[in-house]
Amino acid sequence: MTLLKEELAVNLRGRDFIELVDYKPEEVRYLIDLAIELKNKQKAGEIFHPLQGKTLGMIFEKSSTRTRVSFEVGMYQLGGHALFLSGNDLQIGRGETISDTAQVLSRYLDGIMIRTYAHRTVIELARGATIPVINGLTDLAHPCQALADYQTVLEHKGRLEGLKIAYIGDGNNMVHSLMMGAAKLGMHISVATPEGYEPDEDIIQLTEEHAAETGSTIHICRDPKEAIADADIVYSDVWASMGFEAEQKERELAFANYQVNEALVKYAKSDYLFMHCLPAHRGEEVSEGVIDGKHSIIFDQAENRLHAQKAIMAAIM
């Protein structure tokens, strides 16, 4: 019996997947468990087509490797079809309102995934659409990646509750979703960033409110050694995310002491896992020895984008 037949699954049908804050802790964990189930079915060669005859429209205003391939392959494996829609090719790029685009696409498609810059674009798209909308990434949040990340941790550690994740680097969209995911899953997260690069204050406050419900803790600091102390998981991301490339040199100076390297990871637990959402700049935010070392699970993360997103699509579409 698939998890898609459980009572909880009914509550997810037709929902948007925009931010993890919109989902209850048991719903987040359900999606992770469903992702693992779908992964096992795929590995066993079992054909499972819950989205037979359905089509996902994929809007890309930001380029991608993992997002494009994983969503397209995921829809195929679920029995559906994925349609690539470049932001430059849509009428939205010539001034059509987001609401009009959403309403038109809702007449053709069964779901929309969008990877874009402004978070408000996804919000407006979801408000105008009558079909589920999935946030493939915005400047504010990256919930699909966070869900895949915590699936990966569960597979390697056998549990999530009580584990500590240390994030070293820019307080960007990635850490926002990791913080909310940790809060929903009963994990502890410690974030070290240079001054001026902290996570969004509103996101911190919102995350702390949800953390109180599950016993999670959220810690923001300056010192990477403080953040990484006794960590089960060490996480890094590029210093200049897409859209911030013009600040590369400035950020290299600001983050000079925030590289995850062999000296820093000595402060983590001896069986720590290293994670990175990719693409990575070896020699900048992380040393080659760490990212290519025995503790690194970066390609397991990348693979699980496929399975976590299949779980999202199967559940809400």
Side-chain angles (χ1 to χ4, degrees):
M1 174 177 163
T2 172
L3 287 172
L4 283 175
K5 295 182 180 179
E6 289 192 357
E7 184 177 345
L8 185 59
V10 176
N11 297 326
L12 298 182
R13 291 173 192 159
R15 296 262 299 271
D16 298 317
F17 188 80
I18 297 176
E19 292 185 88
L20 292 175
V21 68
D22 301 323
Y23 282 69
K24 298 176 182 178
E26 60 267 28
E27 292 173 336
V28 176
R29 181 54 190 260
Y30 167 83
L31 288 173
I32 291 174
D33 291 338
L34 179 59
I36 292 173
E37 178 185 341
L38 294 178
K39 181 178 182 177
N40 290 337
K41 286 180 181 293
Q42 185 66 32
K43 297 291 185 182
E46 181 178 343
I47 296 175
F48 183 60
H49 287 167
L51 299 185
Q52 183 82 41
K54 293 183 180 287
T55 302
L56 175 77
M58 306 186 301
I59 301 175
F60 283 90
E61 294 185 333
K62 273 189 174 183
S63 59
S64 169
T65 298
R66 280 151 289 276
T67 301
R68 165 83 186 270
V69 176
S70 57
F71 268 106
E72 193 160 334
V73 172
M75 274 300 289
Y76 172 78
Q77 291 181 356
L78 292 173
H81 174 70
L83 184 65
F84 176 79
L85 302 168
S86 168
N88 294 328
D89 297 333
L90 296 174
Q91 293 297 334
I92 198 171
R94 298 177 59 225
E96 182 175 57
T97 67
I98 295 172
S99 176
D100 284 357
T101 297
Q103 292 183 68
V104 170
L105 292 180
S106 295
R107 303 295 180 102
Y108 303 144
L109 305 168
D110 301 286
I112 301 170
M113 187 285 298
I114 180 168
R115 179 179 168 94
T116 187
Y117 292 90
H119 193 74
R120 66 179 179 273
T121 300
V122 181
I123 300 297
E124 291 178 25
L125 189 69
R127 284 175 179 166
T130 56
I131 55 176
V133 172
I134 299 171
N135 176 8
L137 174 140
T138 68
D139 287 343
L140 186 70
H142 200 354
C144 291
Q145 179 71 57
L147 195 71
D149 291 341
Y150 288 127
Q151 174 195 344
T152 311
V153 172
L154 179 59
E155 290 174 342
H156 279 266
K157 291 292 188 181
R159 67 184 176 98
L160 293 170
E161 297 81 0
L163 294 180
K164 176 183 176 180
I165 178 170
Y167 177 93
I168 314 297
D170 186 27
N172 59 14
N173 52 2
M174 191 64 251
V175 74
H176 289 162
S177 291
L178 286 173
M179 288 165 57
M180 186 55 69
K184 294 288 184 177
L185 295 165
M187 302 174 69
H188 309 293
I189 185 165
S190 187
V191 179
T193 66
E195 185 174 0
Y197 296 94
E198 303 86 353
D200 182 87
E201 283 290 340
D202 291 337
I203 298 293
I204 294 173
Q205 181 178 345
L206 186 62
T207 302
E208 288 175 340
E209 292 172 2
H210 286 269
E213 300 174 6
T214 61
S216 299
T217 57
I218 312 296
H219 178 61
I220 312 295
C221 64
R222 295 272 177 262
D223 187 356
K225 294 178 183 178
E226 177 183 340
I228 206 173
D230 296 319
D232 298 283
I233 303 104
V234 179
Y235 204 113
S236 182
D237 193 7
V238 293
W239 291 339
S241 299
M242 191 177 296
F244 295 91
E245 292 88 350
E247 301 177 12
Q248 178 66 33
K249 295 301 181 182
E250 176 185 341
R251 286 172 174 259
E252 286 178 7
L253 293 174
F255 287 91
N257 296 322
Y258 288 80
Q259 185 188 77
V260 176
N261 52 37
E262 289 83 346
L264 184 61
V265 295
K266 289 180 180 179
Y267 293 89
K269 288 184 178 177
S270 59
D271 62 345
Y272 81 93
L273 302 174
F274 176 75
M275 306 183 78
H276 192 300
C277 57
L278 301 179
H281 296 162
R282 288 166 170 79
E284 288 186 17
E285 73 271 9
V286 59
S287 67
E288 290 188 9
V290 170
I291 195 170
D292 296 322
K294 64 179 182 179
H295 296 275
S296 177
I297 56 171
I298 60 171
F299 297 115
D300 292 341
Q301 285 177 264
E303 177 188 349
N304 282 340
R305 285 289 300 279
L306 170 65
H307 307 296
Q309 289 160 186
K310 283 170 65 177
I312 295 166
M313 292 187 291
I316 69 177
M317 291 175 63

